[in-house]
Amino acid sequence: MTKRIVITPKASLDIDEYFVYIAQQNPDTALLFFDSVRLVLSAVEGETFAQLARMPGMGSRYPLDNLRLQGLRKWAVKGFRKYLIFYFERDESIQVVRILYAGQDIERILEQE
């Protein structure tokens, strides 16, 4: 069963900010990044979110002490391994909480959620 993808406002903002950042160096790569992340909205086969919708357990658990974040999972954006999708698997949906660059202080950022 394919689950519905819910993208939080912060995750959507993350996508937009990384697109702008990447576009400053290479507009074509930024478009590839955007396509790799956002085409889930049209459920394109093979894209990262579409993969999560079909197989939500494929990401690994991301252990944090914060009880609100128990069960959080991570998965890399297809073709952009240092950009990580953080999500929860719900009964009928996948909730994408944030998309973060691996070089950031991820634990600190997530604890602020």
Side-chain angles (χ1 to χ4, degrees), residues 23-111:
Q24 291 173 353
Q25 302 300 315
N26 188 326
D28 292 335
T29 301
L31 289 172
L32 288 173
F33 172 79
F34 190 79
D35 288 346
S36 291
V37 175
R38 284 294 239 201
L39 286 179
V40 66
L41 299 178
S42 60
V44 172
E45 179 104 4
E47 295 301 332
T48 304
F49 283 168
Q51 290 174 336
L52 286 176
R54 286 190 310 277
M55 297 179 295
M58 70 183 192
S60 61
R61 290 208 182 262
Y62 194 81
L64 293 165
D65 292 332
N66 187 328
L67 293 177
R68 289 183 304 106
L69 298 174
Q70 295 302 307
L72 188 68
R73 301 181 79 84
K74 71 173 180 172
W75 188 254
V77 174
K78 183 180 179 183
F80 295 85
R81 307 297 274 154
K82 293 205 177 235
Y83 291 88
L84 304 173
I85 298 168
F86 290 89
Y87 68 96
F88 289 106
E89 179 182 1
R90 305 291 189 209
D91 287 340
E92 296 181 13
S93 66
I94 301 296
Q95 180 187 20
V96 179
V97 178
R98 295 296 302 260
I99 298 173
L100 300 171
Y101 184 73
Q104 295 176 283
D105 186 349
I106 291 173
E107 192 164 331
R108 182 187 58 77
I109 294 169
L110 291 174
E111 288 293 334

